[in-house]
Amino acid sequence: MIDFSISEEMTMVVKTLKRFIETELKPYEAEVEEKQFVRPELALELKTKAKALGLFALGMPEESGGGGLSAVDMCLCEEQFGWTKDALVRRAFGAIPAALENCVGEQRERYLYPAVRGDIGVALGMTEPNAGSDAAGILTTAKRDGSDFIINGSKHFISDADLADSFIITAVTDPTKGAKGITAFLIDRGTPGFTIGRIQYMMGLRATNHCELVFENLRVSEAQMLGAEGQGLYQALSTINRVRLGMVGGRCIGMASKLMKMSIDYANERKQFGKSIGEFQMVQAMLADMATEIYAARMMVLNAAWETDQGMDPREKVSMVKYFASEMLGRVADKAVQIFGGMGYCKEMPLEQMYRDARVYRIFDGASDIHRMVIARSLLKNGSHPL
Ligand SMILES: Cc1cc2nc3c(=O)[nH]c(=O)nc-3n(C[C@H](O)[C@H](O)[C@H](O)COP(=O)(O)OP(=O)(O)OC[C@H]3O[C@@H](n4cnc5c(N)ncnc54)[C@H](O)[C@@H]3O)c2cc1C
């Protein structure tokens, strides 16, 4: 028998999150969408309230002060996060790069614990103008100078860079070694030679800002290395399964569930030809497809998350989740707009923003094409499906 039950404790956490999102975050959704930022005093208020309820840094390990939730439990939380705006989720519940777990010694006091307490913000900078999907193709270099490194280069699209106090970045320390010649560094805002560039405004996810980072002869000591030299990609990606399952898989399910709920309500209310549009079989087909696809994605997410919790490394399944859940969200968002007709396209309804927000899930954290490539390569190598 497969036990799909959720613990009483987790049921309470999900209920508390649902209530918090409804009462504390929802009232500000329109404001942050319009202003494209979360007011600092609002951000502080939300974080303080979430912390008081034990809802901050839920996915970070308990020994670092976080909630210590399992991958499955974190996916259940992310489903709730999908019912509101990404920027509000980040400000209230934290957006801490899981790669910080790799901090050692004094780095833990300086970066990990303050980030988990919400005292500092940390962003993860890997992508460069010339290297996105090809994360090993970066041009930023870190040249050794005694016990220091001199970093030159740039990053772009870095989420929360406008607010972050510190950054994990990747740089090439040995150009002869490819992916194994990349090292991760912890760097601080305000260090001479490090500039946070312009905000790059996006189609959606408004109020979560993404910026360029510029390094011009930025000097950092070797104590700022996250992990060993040449281990940068491994360090930055070591926690990627959990991130993809939660922040993409779980989040897409939550977003799609909200779109479906709105569509069901509208199909019941909206009347044409003297009937509610939900009585038309073609509208019913769209609702049925939405529900079926959400259910399929949810089972995939929970299964891969459960395997992750058992210490397995279901990376092909995680790629399937990343690919299927994000594409599923795209199809659900498209159907929702169709069911709402002109109102779905109109800025007076939140649907058009949800449609725009949904689009990026097929691009970041590995575009769909990259994940299909990973899945296919594994099939061809292993000759079977990793069920
Ligand atoms: C909103 C947003 C937030 C982001 N936040 C961060 C962040 O916090 N930190 C960070 O480091 N990065 C971040 N990124 C960057 C993100 O991870 C990259 O955009 C993503 O990895 C894709 O890289 P790219 O944009 O350079 O596209 P490219 O790599 O140029 O890809 C363009 C197209 O080519 C396809 N393609 C590329 N290679 C192949 C291949 N081998 N086979 C088949 N198709 C291929 C891709 O699938 C895609 O369709 C963010 C991006 C966005 C849009």
Side-chain angles (χ1 to χ4, degrees):
M1 191 180 92
I2 301 175
D3 184 357
F4 284 102
S5 57
I6 297 170
S7 69
E8 249 176 61
E9 194 191 351
M10 209 41 222
T11 308
M12 275 307 295
V13 173
V14 168
K15 265 192 194 158
T16 311
L17 274 177
K18 202 188 273 283
R19 205 175 323 117
F20 190 93
I21 288 167
E22 192 62 28
T23 57
E24 305 291 345
L25 304 188
K26 204 171 163 199
Y28 299 106
E29 287 176 358
E31 176 191 317
V32 302
E33 178 72 18
E34 193 201 319
K35 294 208 165 109
Q36 304 213 31
F37 74 98
V38 182
R39 285 179 282 115
E41 63 278 13
L42 173 62
L44 181 61
E45 181 191 324
L46 296 175
K47 182 170 69 180
T48 308
K49 285 182 177 168
K51 278 180 78 174
L53 291 168
L55 298 176
F56 193 81
L58 283 166
M60 295 301 284
E62 249 176 335
E63 59 271 22
S64 69
L69 292 192
S70 66
V72 167
D73 290 347
M74 204 51 222
C75 287
L76 298 174
C77 295
E78 285 283 355
E79 285 182 16
Q80 297 307 313
F81 297 166
W83 285 73
T84 188
K85 298 209 76 68
D86 179 69
L88 290 168
V89 168
R90 286 170 175 270
R91 301 292 74 85
F93 310 119
I96 305 158
L100 274 186
E101 289 170 27
N102 298 318
C103 283
V104 290
E106 208 249 329
Q107 292 175 348
R108 294 175 84 79
E109 306 292 336
R110 218 170 132 193
Y111 298 101
L112 176 64
Y113 303 143
V116 173
R117 284 196 303 269
D119 294 343
I120 63 165
V122 182
L124 175 65
M126 299 177 68
T127 305
E128 301 185 359
N130 288 305
S133 303
D134 180 12
I138 55 170
L139 298 178
T140 294
T141 55
K143 290 206 173 113
R144 205 175 245 290
D145 181 26
S147 59
D148 291 345
F149 285 89
I150 311 292
I151 303 183
N152 279 288
S154 67
K155 303 281 174 186
H156 78 166
F157 295 164
I158 309 308
S159 308
D160 275 346
D162 55 331
L163 302 173
D165 303 283
S166 302
F167 298 77
I168 300 170
I169 61 135
T170 49
V172 177
T173 40
D174 186 344
T176 64
K177 289 192 177 154
K180 292 193 173 148
I182 293 176
T183 303
F185 293 90
L186 291 152
I187 59 171
D188 300 318
R189 175 186 284 267
T191 310
F194 175 32
T195 320
I196 316 247
R198 68 192 168 109
I199 292 180
Q200 299 169 286
Y201 288 103
M202 299 281 173
M203 179 194 290
L205 296 190
R206 294 207 171 139
T208 299
N209 286 326
H210 309 91
C211 306
E212 295 170 326
L213 311 179
V214 181
F215 318 113
E216 289 166 306
N217 295 321
L218 163 66
R219 179 177 285 275
V220 294
S221 88
E222 63 184 0
Q224 296 297 101
M225 278 196 304
L226 183 63
E229 199 170 331
Q231 289 281 302
L233 276 190
Y234 171 76
Q235 294 289 324
L237 299 174
S238 60
T239 48
I240 198 79
N241 279 0
R242 269 162 44 205
V243 174
R244 284 179 176 151
L245 288 169
M247 286 177 67
V248 179
R251 189 76 70 95
C252 286
I253 289 162
M255 291 169 77
S257 302
K258 181 175 178 181
L259 286 158
M260 181 172 71
K261 173 77 176 99
M262 291 168 73
S263 303
I264 295 167
D265 291 347
Y266 195 72
N268 277 325
E269 281 160 23
R270 174 73 175 165
K271 294 211 164 35
Q272 287 293 284
F273 301 98
K275 300 174 175 182
S276 57
I277 60 168
E279 288 184 54
F280 301 125
Q281 285 185 345
M282 278 186 265
V283 173
Q284 290 175 2
M286 285 194 273
L287 292 175
D289 288 352
M290 283 182 182
T292 307
E293 287 212 68
I294 293 171
Y295 176 47
R298 191 162 198 256
M299 290 301 106
M300 289 171 74
V301 167
L302 294 178
N303 172 251
W306 180 83
E307 287 193 6
T308 304
D309 286 336
Q310 306 316 304
M312 297 157 76
D313 178 15
R315 65 180 70 184
E316 290 84 8
K317 284 188 175 180
V318 172
S319 278
M320 290 179 192
V321 165
K322 167 67 184 61
Y323 166 48
F324 184 76
S326 60
E327 297 277 339
M328 173 282 291
L329 174 61
R331 289 189 290 271
V332 168
D334 193 65
K335 288 189 174 91
V337 170
Q338 196 67 18
I339 289 173
F340 273 77
M343 282 314 287
Y345 197 66
C346 179
K347 280 199 176 283
E348 285 169 25
M349 291 291 295
L351 267 180
E352 68 84 28
Q353 25 170 304
M354 293 170 73
Y355 184 80
R356 285 188 281 103
D357 289 348
R359 187 62 183 87
V360 78
Y361 287 83
R362 290 151 65 185
I363 298 171
F364 58 22
D365 268 320
S368 291
D369 321 278
I370 300 298
H371 286 289
R372 290 160 91 191
M373 191 172 75
V374 170
I375 299 161
R377 277 187 185 161
S378 157
L379 292 177
L380 293 167
K381 186 173 160 211
N382 300 315
S384 65
H385 183 279
L387 279 178

